[in-house]
Amino acid sequence: MAEYKAPLREMNFLLHEVFEADKLWASMPALAETADRETADAILEEMAKLAANTLDPINRTGDEEGCQWNDGVVTTPQGFPEAYTTYCEGGWGALVGNPEFGGMGMPKMLGAQVEEMICAANISFALYPVLTNGACLAIDAHGSEELKQKYLPNMYAGTWAGAMDLTEPHAGTDLGIIRTKAEPQEDGSYSITGSKIFITGGDHDLSENIIHLVLAKLPDAPKGPKGISLFLVPKILVNEDGSLGERNGVSCGSIEHKMGIKASATCAMNFDGAKGWLVGEVNKGLAAMFTMMNYERLGVGIQGLGASERSYQSAIEYARDRVQSRSPEGAKQPEKAADPIIVHPDVRRMLLTQKALIGGGRALSTYVAKWLDISKFGEGEEKQHAEAMVALLTPVAKAFFTDKGLECTVLGQQVFGGHGYIREWGQEQLVRDVRITQIYEGTNGIQALDLIGRKTVANGGALFELFAADVQTFIDANADNEALAEYIQPLATELQRLKDVTAAVLEAAKQDPNAPGAASVEYLHLFGYVAYAYMWAKVVSVAAPKAAADDFYRSQVKTARFYFARLLPMTAGLAGSVLAGSETLMDLEEELF
Amino acid sequence: MAEYKAPLREMNFLLHEVFEADKLWASMPALAETADRETADAILEEMAKLAANTLDPINRTGDEEGCQWNDGVVTTPQGFPEAYTTYCEGGWGALVGNPEFGGMGMPKMLGAQVEEMICAANISFALYPVLTNGACLAIDAHGSEELKQKYLPNMYAGTWAGAMDLTEPHAGTDLGIIRTKAEPQEDGSYSITGSKIFITGGDHDLSENIIHLVLAKLPDAPKGPKGISLFLVPKILVNEDGSLGERNGVSCGSIEHKMGIKASATCAMNFDGAKGWLVGEVNKGLAAMFTMMNYERLGVGIQGLGASERSYQSAIEYARDRVQSRSPEGAKQPEKAADPIIVHPDVRRMLLTQKALIGGGRALSTYVAKWLDISKFGEGEEKQHAEAMVALLTPVAKAFFTDKGLECTVLGQQVFGGHGYIREWGQEQLVRDVRITQIYEGTNGIQALDLIGRKTVANGGALFELFAADVQTFIDANADNEALAEYIQPLATELQRLKDVTAAVLEAAKQDPNAPGAASVEYLHLFGYVAYAYMWAKVVSVAAPKAAADDFYRSQVKTARFYFARLLPMTAGLAGSVLAGSETLMDLEEELF
């Protein structure tokens, strides 16, 4: 497998040329002093090295070895503890953390690129710090001052890792029915008892402590999602002076044997009267969890992008090296026994599909991260508008990046032919690893329901109109730009198609409670394709003027043309499917399946 | 995971009601005495038992244990040798074999259903007899009388297994550049020397001998595909009296570690001056191999169907049992903590998509098998027509069934949520196992190129017109059938779309050598969707009149309606992509990827 080379040129292009990150940063007081182009460049270059030199080399071995569970103790594969130490010593755990508690306060636009590199190199590894980041976000947003001071600095430093304990054997999507109990104690803490499953990084040997954020119910809590509270439960109790004390009643009962991400410990956790502290308000645990969910879900989407990029890099290398059959145009390398397979139209289709989906996804990821930054660091109406955009686009990013992540890694594997199925080549691991991203952090079906339901039907399409207006503004601004003519008209057509389909679903939902669910997944894919078209048009608007003189920009423009010509047409089929409505979905009696 | 229950009702419905197998069999002298409905029913019921009781129980354990290689000897997982013995004792290896040499001479229409059951229960196991079947077909079609008498009876009995040795490290798709040599010996045999990879069942402990069919080149052979000959090379030489003699110069150097089908031994084989005998004519080895390729490729397609059916059965069971959240219509089972997930529109979408794609595929598989039977047992024009249909439809069956096989198994896994990613539930194994079917026996990209190139452009669309005429005949015959009105008009529209796209590619190919390759994969998918629409319309034509009174028929009709409403619209997108042509595919310079 080709060595991983971080796509720094693409990242810098998106950050600074397409989305003008430095201007945004300069305009925001909280960022003006910490983030600038020079710092960003240095950070990206450092992570590129760490990813290539430290994380990538233990990706295959980690898959082969997997995590081990022995008598309640989880051991990560060889090299993982050392890599984690290197990661923490580089200060990476603090990158986007709150400066009041030792964080660097960097913007998510930058964090998104950093995450992509980590995930491209090693998704299993990435999950340990990613979960810690998520826990830090929740503590920072909802924890008491005391909790923040006690836990955040060590978590940013990575000395203590984080874990999120939501799922129970009978309660996955439906957290309202969890059974884990939290009983108030006289000292203000709570006694937590219950069993959780699928806890990523629930136990491991990377850090000296693990801070669990646990959803549980108070004895008198209302039924359903409005009776859930959030608790901070450390694996090892922390003394007043910050030193580690006794072991808490938290234990790992087993780890799962999975299709992929085998170097990530997926734990069954038992809480036996474990000591915990309330985070946020009683019965508002789900809401507290959801404030950081947008970051986490974008992060999972980025895992899909990272795996796609990794697969693409290997596939290109293979397609240039492997000789097999002749070009349909006649021999291209007559001195060899055959031509490199990159001459074949269908191999190019596979590679270009990867390239176009990764490029569109990376642009959309940066665009969503920009709205996240504005929603965090901005003020007033600007902030509100950004929050709305984040709410709408997060499920698209999570589900579309990862659905396309499976498609991309399968394509990369297919380029390798039979060798793609053999473990040593590494392509099949990417398929197995990326598959989980369509499932966890809310399945992609749940994302789609969130997009069309809570984010669209529930507000009569108000959020959608904000996005549509943003696209329309771009279309209007470029209406007379001849260099963009071949993109602007199709983009306008596709936007109209998406508007029409959205209106149709809004209308159908008035009568038919099944309409949103019936539309959901194809609607999200339709939305994703149109959003990528918008992204590629934006990319071209910057790249086209420089394309004649520069290979990089020309490559961007040609990939955009491929996207519009060959991939965007899929919207016609998706729209047709959505518009067919719920009738044929709901008609078959349960016993006749 | 749910126990596997063979879909006998569906199979019998397709065989006898939709495709009127018994009438066909009665009309053909070679089949009239061997095949009738009663025999067919008994055969299907017996295999249903074998699949459920013997093959299915060793599927998961086989995956966990895998094959082992030690010092040149391959051991299959626990239970495999016993299951293989049971399989052979049941006479299954002889099912479709030539009666002159101990075969039962049964039609492929029946064989296709039997294969689906074996593959649904255990793809890894299936490959051992499947490869033997393929080798028997080639020997029967091209071997000398002496070879047939010496090898076929034991191969039909399963005492000797078969293997096909084509691929070399540098030569996969491009067999023209193989290096394995065959040097003529004075006794009329050949000395075979070379290395082969990816040899399924190249070595194992199931049978007392393994008969390799090896592609190799004579010293004076022309370059390229026209210089390849086919040789029979036994692992253990067979004495004149049929007893086993000395070990031949055939050895297994290693086995591959793969994404899936782990209980199938994928071997690197070395031939060191091994004794072999020519099968067919010198330099016509590829053609000899291709006479049985249609059977093999349909067989691989059927692996995709089998895995899909297995995944679907488990997914339904899970969707009925697992309770999570409430129906959008309001609580369906208020006494429980939540409703079974089968109430959710998107879960039904996933299940119905599986059901519709499996049903369409099983019908098309039976339809192609019917043409295979007519091409084998028929005569004159009828036989020629059948050969043409087989030639055209085989790549569609192989690639579309398996591409949809990945889609279906991924959907089945998704229904399980997080549990789908865990090995013990079995869904993830189906995804890993089915993935190879898109790659081996000619990648799906190669199938697509075969369909649009050799089978369409090369004859100016003559084969396509035969298929189109067949669909048109059905449309015309049902033009006034009101019960079919909602299917016939869309089918006619889709047929026209496929005709238009075919014509456009034929036209483009006159100028542009890259046009067929650029169109290929999306064209095959478009073809597949239209072919499934034809199949579902045929199914409805039989089922609709009986639907009011019978659950089974009603289920067929409702699934057909779902297919037409929700899946068939995808043709619009595929057509758009094909019509965009090769330009944007070929435009990006190799170094700019």
Side-chain angles (χ1 to χ4, degrees):
Chain A
M1 184 169 231
E3 280 175 27
Y4 172 63
K5 274 185 74 173
L8 291 176
R9 184 76 186 81
E10 281 83 352
M11 290 174 170
N12 281 314
F13 166 69
L14 288 171
L15 276 178
H16 302 298
E17 297 184 68
V18 179
F19 294 109
E20 299 179 315
D22 35 7
K23 278 193 201 164
L24 177 78
W25 299 342
S27 75
M28 297 197 156
L31 290 174
E33 289 190 13
T34 52
D36 56 37
R37 174 141 191 186
E38 201 178 335
T39 312
D41 286 354
I43 287 172
L44 294 178
E45 275 167 33
E46 280 309 304
M47 179 46 83
K49 286 182 213 158
L50 185 78
N53 302 333
T54 305
L55 307 182
D56 189 50
I58 56 171
N59 188 43
R60 274 275 302 134
T61 52
D63 180 64
E64 291 294 337
E65 189 182 337
C67 286
Q68 310 296 326
W69 180 96
N70 272 305
D71 214 12
V73 176
V74 176
T75 316
T76 58
Q78 278 198 15
F80 272 61
E82 295 78 5
Y84 183 77
T85 303
T86 306
Y87 178 91
C88 295
E89 285 173 356
W92 294 105
L95 188 71
V96 295
N98 185 347
E100 279 184 61
F101 304 99
M104 286 173 65
M106 285 292 162
K108 184 70 184 174
M109 283 181 86
L110 190 62
Q113 320 303 324
V114 167
E115 274 182 53
E116 188 200 308
M117 294 186 221
I118 307 175
C119 293
N122 197 326
I123 289 186
S124 282
F125 179 90
L127 293 177
Y128 298 102
V130 157
L131 268 290
T132 306
N133 278 351
C136 288
L137 275 167
I139 296 168
D140 189 34
H142 301 282
S144 65
E145 191 64 19
E146 196 187 337
L147 287 180
K148 292 191 215 180
Q149 284 182 352
K150 196 163 184 177
Y151 292 96
L152 286 180
N154 274 322
M155 293 178 78
Y156 288 149
T159 343
W160 300 349
M164 317 289 292
D165 302 61
L166 288 71
T167 304
E168 299 182 6
H170 69 293
T173 295
D174 190 358
L175 290 169
I177 56 177
I178 60 166
R179 293 181 192 138
T180 298
K181 283 183 211 163
E183 290 174 294
Q185 306 296 299
E186 294 203 348
D187 65 356
S189 73
Y190 291 79
S191 171
I192 313 288
T193 301
S195 293
K196 297 283 180 178
I197 60 166
F198 298 164
I199 309 308
T200 303
D203 195 57
H204 55 72
D205 56 358
L206 302 179
S207 59
E208 57 184 41
N209 200 2
I210 299 173
I211 311 306
H212 293 267
L213 290 186
V214 184
L215 290 183
K217 305 194 95 169
L218 267 69
D220 58 350
K223 278 199 166 186
K226 291 183 179 167
I228 298 174
S229 304
L230 181 65
F231 299 89
L232 184 155
V233 186
K235 173 181 173 181
I236 301 171
L237 293 167
V238 179
N239 298 323
E240 284 303 310
D241 64 358
S243 64
L244 293 181
E246 285 177 28
R247 179 75 190 242
N248 201 357
V250 178
S251 61
C252 174
S254 62
I255 58 174
E256 305 290 349
H257 298 100
K258 310 185 299 292
M259 182 184 199
I261 53 163
K262 295 189 180 189
S264 166
T266 306
C267 302
M269 298 301 303
N270 298 314
F271 297 87
D272 302 301
K275 217 173 174 64
W277 289 268
L278 185 69
V279 176
E281 292 175 49
V282 162
N283 294 338
K284 298 210 168 153
L286 264 194
M289 210 53 132
F290 270 88
T291 52
M292 56 99 214
M293 209 57 110
N294 288 327
Y295 286 89
E296 292 293 296
R297 289 184 167 172
L298 175 60
V300 173
I302 289 171
Q303 293 168 22
L305 290 180
S308 302
E309 170 71 25
R310 190 77 187 83
S311 173
Y312 172 63
Q313 290 188 14
S314 286
I316 302 169
E317 185 184 75
Y318 189 81
R320 287 187 179 128
D321 285 355
R322 172 81 171 174
V323 302
Q324 206 78 177
S325 305
R326 291 295 181 191
S327 161
E329 298 173 6
K332 294 280 181 182
Q333 301 196 2
E335 73 286 1
K336 289 193 181 169
D339 289 331
I341 60 173
I342 200 169
V343 303
H344 300 300
D346 189 56
V347 173
R348 297 176 71 92
R349 175 190 65 83
M350 295 192 275
L351 295 170
L352 274 163
T353 301
Q354 289 186 295
K355 188 171 166 66
L357 292 175
I358 296 165
R362 186 179 291 126
L364 189 63
S365 152
T366 309
Y367 175 77
V368 176
K370 182 171 179 171
W371 291 120
L372 272 168
D373 285 334
I374 300 173
S375 74
K376 183 172 174 183
F377 300 109
E379 284 176 1
E381 273 184 35
E382 193 187 41
K383 179 186 172 78
Q384 279 180 9
H385 177 249
E387 283 170 351
M389 293 295 275
V390 166
L392 181 74
L393 294 173
T394 298
V396 179
K398 193 279 183 183
F400 199 62
F401 296 177
T402 59
D403 282 351
K404 294 296 144 186
L406 182 68
E407 182 176 332
C408 283
T409 54
V410 165
L411 286 171
Q413 184 185 24
Q414 195 74 13
V415 169
F416 276 67
H419 298 94
Y421 200 67
I422 308 299
R423 294 224 295 269
E424 67 177 292
W425 291 86
Q427 292 292 73
E428 64 85 35
Q429 183 190 343
L430 295 170
V431 176
R432 288 186 288 106
D433 283 356
V434 87
R435 182 70 185 90
I436 189 60
T437 64
Q438 301 175 284
I439 298 174
Y440 61 19
E441 208 69 35
T443 66
N444 286 0
I446 291 298
Q447 304 301 323
L449 201 57
D450 181 47
L451 173 68
I452 193 68
R454 222 152 56 90
K455 307 293 175 61
T456 304
V457 170
N459 53 50
L463 300 192
F464 172 75
E465 279 163 30
L466 293 180
F467 172 74
D470 195 57
V471 183
Q472 192 62 52
T473 303
F474 175 81
I475 291 172
D476 294 343
N478 289 282
D480 301 326
N481 185 340
E482 278 189 29
L484 284 194
E486 65 174 306
Y487 308 95
I488 292 300
Q489 188 48 51
L491 179 61
T493 305
E494 294 300 331
L495 179 63
Q496 190 57 49
R497 190 199 301 274
L498 182 60
K499 282 181 178 176
D500 292 345
V501 171
T502 306
V505 178
L506 284 168
E507 186 58 34
K510 289 178 189 168
Q511 320 271 338
D512 175 6
N514 292 310
S520 57
V521 166
E522 279 92 353
Y523 179 79
L524 185 143
H525 283 186
L526 172 63
F527 195 124
Y529 275 112
V530 177
Y532 279 20
Y534 175 35
M535 293 296 112
W536 275 114
K538 262 179 132 56
V539 163
V540 173
S541 71
V542 177
K546 310 175 194 170
D550 185 300
D551 280 354
F552 173 79
Y553 297 109
R554 197 160 68 253
S555 171
Q556 294 293 315
V557 172
K558 289 186 175 186
T559 308
R561 290 190 66 221
F562 168 81
Y563 179 80
F564 273 79
R566 297 286 311 221
L567 302 185
L568 191 55
M570 291 303 150
T571 53
L574 293 164
S577 185
V578 173
L579 294 174
S582 75
E583 190 203 335
T584 61
L585 268 183
M586 305 311 297
D587 194 33
L588 187 66
E589 297 86 339
E590 270 176 41
E591 62 277 15
L592 298 194
F593 271 87
Chain B
M1 182 168 234
E3 280 176 28
Y4 172 63
K5 274 185 74 172
L8 291 175
R9 184 75 186 83
E10 281 82 353
M11 289 174 170
N12 281 315
F13 166 69
L14 288 171
L15 276 178
H16 302 299
E17 297 183 70
V18 179
F19 294 109
E20 299 180 315
D22 34 8
K23 279 193 201 164
L24 177 77
W25 299 342
S27 76
M28 297 198 156
L31 289 174
E33 291 191 10
T34 53
D36 55 39
R37 173 140 193 186
E38 203 178 334
T39 313
D41 285 355
I43 287 173
L44 293 178
E45 277 167 32
E46 280 309 304
M47 179 45 84
K49 287 182 213 157
L50 185 77
N53 302 334
T54 305
L55 306 183
D56 189 50
I58 55 170
N59 188 45
R60 272 277 301 136
T61 52
D63 180 64
E64 290 294 336
E65 189 183 338
C67 287
Q68 310 296 326
W69 179 96
N70 272 305
D71 214 12
V73 176
V74 175
T75 316
T76 58
Q78 278 198 18
F80 271 63
E82 295 78 5
Y84 184 77
T85 302
T86 306
Y87 178 92
C88 295
E89 285 174 357
W92 294 105
L95 188 72
V96 295
N98 185 346
E100 279 184 62
F101 304 99
M104 288 173 65
M106 284 292 163
K108 185 70 184 175
M109 283 182 86
L110 190 62
Q113 319 304 323
V114 168
E115 273 182 54
E116 188 198 309
M117 295 187 219
I118 307 175
C119 293
N122 197 325
I123 290 185
S124 282
F125 179 89
L127 293 177
Y128 297 103
V130 157
L131 267 289
T132 306
N133 278 351
C136 288
L137 276 167
I139 296 169
D140 189 34
H142 301 283
S144 66
E145 192 63 22
E146 197 188 336
L147 287 180
K148 292 190 213 178
Q149 284 183 352
K150 196 163 185 177
Y151 292 96
L152 286 180
N154 274 322
M155 292 178 78
Y156 289 149
T159 344
W160 300 349
M164 317 290 293
D165 302 61
L166 287 73
T167 305
E168 300 182 6
H170 70 293
T173 295
D174 190 358
L175 291 168
I177 57 176
I178 61 165
R179 293 181 192 139
T180 298
K181 283 183 211 162
E183 289 174 295
Q185 306 296 299
E186 294 202 348
D187 64 356
S189 73
Y190 291 79
S191 172
I192 313 289
T193 301
S195 294
K196 297 284 181 179
I197 59 165
F198 299 164
I199 308 309
T200 302
D203 194 57
H204 54 73
D205 56 358
L206 302 180
S207 59
E208 57 186 40
N209 201 0
I210 299 172
I211 312 305
H212 292 268
L213 289 186
V214 183
L215 291 183
K217 306 195 94 171
L218 267 68
D220 58 351
K223 278 198 167 187
K226 291 182 178 167
I228 298 176
S229 304
L230 181 65
F231 299 90
L232 184 156
V233 185
K235 173 181 172 182
I236 300 171
L237 293 167
V238 179
N239 297 324
E240 284 304 308
D241 64 358
S243 64
L244 293 181
E246 283 177 28
R247 179 74 191 243
N248 201 358
V250 178
S251 61
C252 174
S254 61
I255 57 173
E256 304 290 349
H257 299 100
K258 311 184 299 291
M259 182 184 199
I261 55 163
K262 295 189 180 190
S264 166
T266 306
C267 303
M269 297 302 300
N270 298 314
F271 298 88
D272 301 301
K275 219 174 172 64
W277 288 269
L278 186 69
V279 177
E281 292 176 48
V282 163
N283 294 338
K284 299 210 167 152
L286 264 193
M289 211 51 136
F290 271 87
T291 53
M292 56 100 213
M293 209 57 110
N294 288 328
Y295 286 89
E296 292 292 297
R297 288 183 168 173
L298 175 60
V300 173
I302 289 172
Q303 293 167 24
L305 290 180
S308 302
E309 171 71 26
R310 190 78 187 83
S311 172
Y312 172 63
Q313 290 189 14
S314 287
I316 301 169
E317 186 184 74
Y318 190 82
R320 286 187 179 129
D321 286 355
R322 172 81 172 173
V323 302
Q324 206 78 177
S325 305
R326 292 297 181 189
S327 161
E329 298 173 6
K332 294 279 180 183
Q333 301 195 2
E335 72 286 4
K336 290 192 180 168
D339 289 332
I341 62 173
I342 201 170
V343 304
H344 298 299
D346 189 56
V347 172
R348 298 176 70 92
R349 175 191 65 82
M350 294 191 274
L351 294 171
L352 274 163
T353 301
Q354 289 187 296
K355 187 171 167 66
L357 292 175
I358 295 164
R362 186 179 291 126
L364 189 63
S365 154
T366 308
Y367 176 76
V368 177
K370 182 171 179 171
W371 291 120
L372 272 168
D373 286 334
I374 300 173
S375 74
K376 183 172 173 183
F377 300 110
E379 283 176 3
E381 272 184 35
E382 193 187 42
K383 179 187 172 78
Q384 279 179 8
H385 177 247
E387 284 170 351
M389 293 295 276
V390 167
L392 182 74
L393 295 173
T394 297
V396 179
K398 192 278 181 183
F400 200 61
F401 296 177
T402 58
D403 281 351
K404 294 296 144 187
L406 182 69
E407 183 176 332
C408 283
T409 54
V410 165
L411 286 171
Q413 183 185 25
Q414 195 74 14
V415 169
F416 277 67
H419 298 94
Y421 200 67
I422 307 298
R423 295 224 295 269
E424 67 176 292
W425 291 86
Q427 292 291 75
E428 64 84 35
Q429 183 190 343
L430 294 169
V431 176
R432 287 186 289 106
D433 283 355
V434 86
R435 181 69 186 90
I436 188 59
T437 64
Q438 302 175 283
I439 299 173
Y440 62 18
E441 209 69 35
T443 66
N444 286 359
I446 291 298
Q447 304 300 323
L449 201 56
D450 181 47
L451 173 68
I452 193 68
R454 223 152 54 89
K455 306 293 173 62
T456 305
V457 170
N459 54 50
L463 301 191
F464 172 76
E465 280 163 28
L466 294 179
F467 172 74
D470 195 58
V471 183
Q472 191 63 50
T473 303
F474 175 82
I475 291 172
D476 294 344
N478 290 282
D480 302 325
N481 185 340
E482 278 189 28
L484 285 194
E486 65 175 304
Y487 307 95
I488 293 299
Q489 188 48 51
L491 179 61
T493 304
E494 293 301 331
L495 179 63
Q496 191 56 51
R497 190 199 302 273
L498 183 60
K499 283 181 178 177
D500 292 345
V501 170
T502 307
V505 178
L506 284 168
E507 187 58 33
K510 290 179 189 167
Q511 320 272 339
D512 174 8
N514 292 310
S520 57
V521 165
E522 279 91 353
Y523 179 80
L524 185 143
H525 283 185
L526 172 63
F527 195 123
Y529 275 111
V530 177
Y532 279 20
Y534 175 36
M535 292 297 111
W536 274 115
K538 262 178 130 57
V539 163
V540 173
S541 71
V542 177
K546 310 175 194 169
D550 185 299
D551 279 354
F552 173 79
Y553 298 109
R554 198 160 67 255
S555 170
Q556 294 294 314
V557 172
K558 289 186 175 186
T559 308
R561 290 189 67 222
F562 168 80
Y563 179 80
F564 273 79
R566 297 286 310 221
L567 301 186
L568 191 54
M570 291 304 149
T571 54
L574 293 164
S577 185
V578 172
L579 294 174
S582 75
E583 190 202 336
T584 60
L585 269 183
M586 305 310 298
D587 193 33
L588 187 65
E589 297 86 340
E590 271 175 41
E591 62 277 15
L592 297 195
F593 271 86

